Amino acid sequence: MENAWIAGRVLVIEDDSDTRANLRDILEMDHHAVETAGSMGEALTLSSLAEIEVIVLDRRLPDGNSLDFLPSLRERAPDSAVMIVTAHSDLEGAIEALRQGAVDYILKPINADTLRIRTERLIEQRRLALARVRSDSIFRNLVEAADCMIVMLRPRDQAILYFSPFAEQLTGYKASEVQGKSFLELLVPEADRPRLVASQRAALDGSPQRGIESQIRCRDGRLRVMLRNVRCLPDYDGSPALLIVDHDITERKAAQERALNAERMAAIGQTCAGLAHESRNALQRSQACLEMLALKLVDRPDTLGLISRVQQAQDDLHRLYEDVREYAAPIKLVLRDCDLAEIWRRAWSHLEPLREGRQATLHEPHCGLNLTCQADPFRLEQVFRNILDNALSARDDGVDIAITGSAARLDGRAAICLTIRDNGPGLTSEQHDKIFESFYTTKTRGTGLGMAIVKRIIEAHGGRVGVGETGARGAEIILTLPRQQGR
């Protein structure tokens, strides 16, 4: 047969030669490439069997019936659509064949137009199915190779239908664990939920959403900053679905914040340097004048008390200037081997004016741990002084502070972990979250830079600083310092 093109590949298995030839002629009218066989044994020997798209199979053949042959056909030609040819009297057998894997049946005597229409439909369905399999395969390969978090959701209840490998890696959850669970409740912080729901509604209404900054809560409780795209897929496994593509921008966001903070600190440093320079002489002059005035008023104790308060206010003002100046200045470490216990004891002794007339005790249950590390003792004294100052401010009297040391590992290096706990009221949720933020304070006096300075100094040493659990009795600050720098 010479045709300009081939519509499909069809195999007719029929034992009657005249019927077989007639079926072949009918199908070739639609430009199908038709092969024939008179028995199942003959059909199974065809080398092209796996390429056949539609098999027209007589219900009864000399070497058996279609139910006997279907398993062999499914094995040799798994992608072929099998159409059973049967008589009215054997309709129940054809229906059973459908249960066993056939996809259609046609009754004898065969109507030529019905055969042509059914065959064309089966070829089209098969090709659509194969195209979908190929499309799904390409989609999954692309998704699994993508360096971003891809999730499919069922719109009505936020149930997770698909969870990409990168999503597993990022969140710590396995796809099998999250399948069918609510994306909103499992992974999205409560504050971000209304915005996500709004973006999903817009996507379902035909307006894809792009560039939405949001957060994902990982299995270990960490929050990752994501740049999110949301769109609706009209057909995902037969139903609409929401496609969420999240790009992790946590590090980029942190870098931007660091750069912005550096710019702010540079501006603060310049301003503060100018203020300190211009104000220092004026403060010194006024302090000298107050001292001279106090000498002249030794017989007037009420007035001396007022002078003392003015002097204290000037000292506070000078300290504020110094706090901001130190925070804004670049940290340059002068490293040497030093004993951490000696440093925190020195800081404790320098806080003696704050402890005067109060019961305050520093406990050191570090169990003989070697506390030697390579560090800048001056900078670490600032760290301990700021932390101990906060602890002393937490209670009016009866202050107990404990510093506990233990061996640790930090990024594969030997380290020392110090836990500093006081017996104050502890930290609120807000204080727990914001304690290291610049200018955050709950005190009536101060700049709110003490713990921010602690964080900068510890991180400059390659260490880490954190806080204990919210709601625990007393505040707990945890410092981890490497024993050696640059190793």
Side-chain angles (χ1 to χ4, degrees):
M1 178 179 65
E2 295 182 1
N3 294 318
W5 55 277
I6 295 175
R9 302 183 68 85
V10 182
L11 170 63
V12 176
I13 307 176
E14 167 64 55
D15 61 330
D16 182 78
S17 59
D18 290 338
T19 303
R20 191 165 63 242
N22 186 37
L23 294 177
R24 178 172 188 161
D25 291 341
I26 293 170
L27 293 169
E28 285 183 343
M29 290 173 60
D30 290 333
H31 306 288
H32 296 302
V34 183
E35 296 188 52
T36 62
S39 67
M40 181 53 62
E42 182 182 349
L44 293 176
T45 63
L46 295 174
S47 60
S48 60
L49 186 58
E51 301 171 7
I52 297 298
E53 295 176 272
V54 174
I55 298 174
V56 181
L57 174 62
D58 192 11
R59 172 79 175 86
R60 296 183 181 278
L61 293 167
D63 47 354
N65 64 55
S66 59
L67 291 177
D68 299 328
F69 302 140
L70 279 172
S72 298
L73 284 176
R74 293 264 63 84
E75 181 180 352
R76 295 284 305 280
D79 296 325
S80 300
V82 178
M83 180 165 52
I84 303 296
V85 178
T86 187
H88 278 282
S89 60
D90 199 21
L91 189 56
E92 290 185 4
I95 294 173
E96 181 61 28
L98 292 178
R99 295 194 184 102
Q100 300 297 323
V103 296
D104 201 356
Y105 69 90
I106 190 168
L107 296 174
K108 294 179 180 179
I110 296 174
N111 179 280
D113 289 337
T114 301
L115 176 65
R116 294 168 64 188
I117 291 170
R118 299 272 187 88
T119 302
E120 182 178 352
R121 184 183 66 191
L122 291 177
I123 289 173
E124 182 66 20
Q125 289 175 347
R126 177 185 178 277
R127 290 180 178 177
L128 286 174
L130 290 176
R132 180 168 183 172
V133 169
R134 286 194 293 269
S135 176
D136 287 348
S137 177
I138 292 171
F139 169 77
R140 289 186 182 275
N141 285 334
L142 288 172
V143 165
E144 290 175 5
D147 197 21
C148 57
M149 178 173 169
I150 299 177
V151 184
M152 299 280 194
L153 305 181
R154 188 165 56 208
R156 71 172 183 270
D157 59 2
Q158 300 283 327
I160 297 172
L161 304 174
Y162 176 79
F163 205 66
S164 70
F166 187 86
E168 292 182 315
Q169 176 185 337
L170 181 72
T171 65
Y173 289 104
K174 295 293 183 184
S176 57
E177 294 178 282
V178 302
Q179 196 86 14
K181 293 184 178 179
S182 170
F183 176 78
L184 208 63
E185 295 178 4
L186 183 66
L187 294 164
V188 181
E190 191 169 352
D192 280 353
R193 293 176 187 177
R195 182 168 45 175
L196 175 60
V197 170
S199 68
Q200 291 176 350
R201 287 174 180 164
L204 289 170
D205 290 338
S207 300
Q209 304 295 294
R210 296 181 178 276
I212 305 167
E213 189 172 306
S214 188
Q215 290 185 317
I216 285 291
R217 183 177 55 240
C218 299
R219 184 172 200 154
D220 60 6
R222 291 179 302 114
L223 294 177
R224 306 292 295 181
V225 183
M226 314 301 287
L227 196 63
R228 176 170 297 157
N229 296 335
V230 184
R231 67 180 305 138
C232 178
L233 298 182
D235 183 12
Y236 179 76
D237 285 343
S239 301
L242 284 165
L243 170 64
I244 293 181
V245 180
D246 279 350
H247 297 271
D248 186 6
I249 60 169
T250 306
E251 280 71 27
R252 188 175 77 188
K253 186 79 174 175
Q256 290 172 345
E257 290 178 356
R258 286 195 297 269
L260 180 60
N261 195 48
E263 292 178 5
R264 289 173 177 169
M265 289 304 103
I268 291 171
Q270 291 176 353
T271 302
C272 194
L275 286 172
H277 178 74
E278 296 296 330
S279 303
R280 185 178 293 111
N281 289 335
L283 288 171
Q284 289 175 346
R285 288 197 305 272
S286 63
Q287 185 71 14
C289 291
L290 287 170
E291 290 174 358
M292 293 175 63
L293 183 60
L295 291 174
K296 293 182 178 182
L297 299 173
V298 291
D299 58 340
R300 300 176 62 181
D302 291 343
T303 306
L304 288 177
L306 292 174
I307 293 173
S308 177
R309 290 172 64 183
V310 173
Q311 289 175 321
Q312 183 61 50
Q314 286 192 326
D315 290 340
D316 290 344
L317 182 61
H318 180 69
R319 182 178 178 183
L320 291 177
Y321 277 131
E322 289 302 307
D323 279 350
V324 177
R325 183 185 64 79
E326 288 180 5
Y327 183 69
I331 294 179
K332 296 180 181 179
L333 301 179
V334 180
L335 301 172
R336 65 177 178 84
D337 289 338
C338 50
D339 188 311
L340 296 179
E342 291 181 2
I343 298 173
W344 77 57
R345 288 166 188 160
R346 188 160 58 247
W348 181 249
S349 68
H350 289 163
L351 292 170
E352 187 173 353
L354 291 179
R355 296 185 280 120
E356 189 173 353
R358 304 167 61 191
Q359 183 180 353
T361 307
L362 178 65
H363 305 278
E364 304 177 352
H366 52 276
C367 304
L369 177 71
N370 179 7
L371 294 171
T372 301
C373 70
Q374 195 176 56
D376 184 327
F378 173 76
R379 292 295 187 180
L380 288 188
E381 185 178 334
Q382 286 181 276
V383 168
F384 290 119
R385 186 172 64 245
N386 288 344
I387 296 173
L388 295 172
D389 188 338
N390 282 349
L392 288 169
S393 302
R395 289 175 65 99
D396 292 333
D397 204 2
V399 179
D400 283 316
I401 306 169
I403 302 181
T404 306
S406 61
R409 302 290 294 180
L410 183 62
D411 298 329
R413 297 181 295 169
I416 300 170
C417 179
L418 297 178
T419 300
I420 306 172
R421 176 183 283 277
D422 62 44
N423 63 336
L427 301 176
T428 65
S429 296
E430 180 186 17
Q431 290 169 333
H432 184 279
D433 295 338
K434 295 184 176 182
I435 188 170
F436 298 113
E437 288 186 10
S438 304
F439 309 110
Y440 175 75
T441 182
T442 57
K443 298 178 181 180
T444 56
R445 296 187 303 170
T447 59
L449 289 174
M451 294 307 293
I453 291 171
V454 166
K455 186 173 188 292
R456 288 189 71 208
I457 292 174
I458 293 298
E459 290 181 349
H461 281 81
R464 292 179 188 166
V465 60
V467 290
E469 295 181 2
T470 307
R473 183 64 180 171
E476 183 180 72
I477 306 298
I478 304 169
L479 309 177
T480 307
L481 287 164
R483 287 191 178 274
Q484 298 292 327
Q485 295 293 318
R487 296 184 185 179

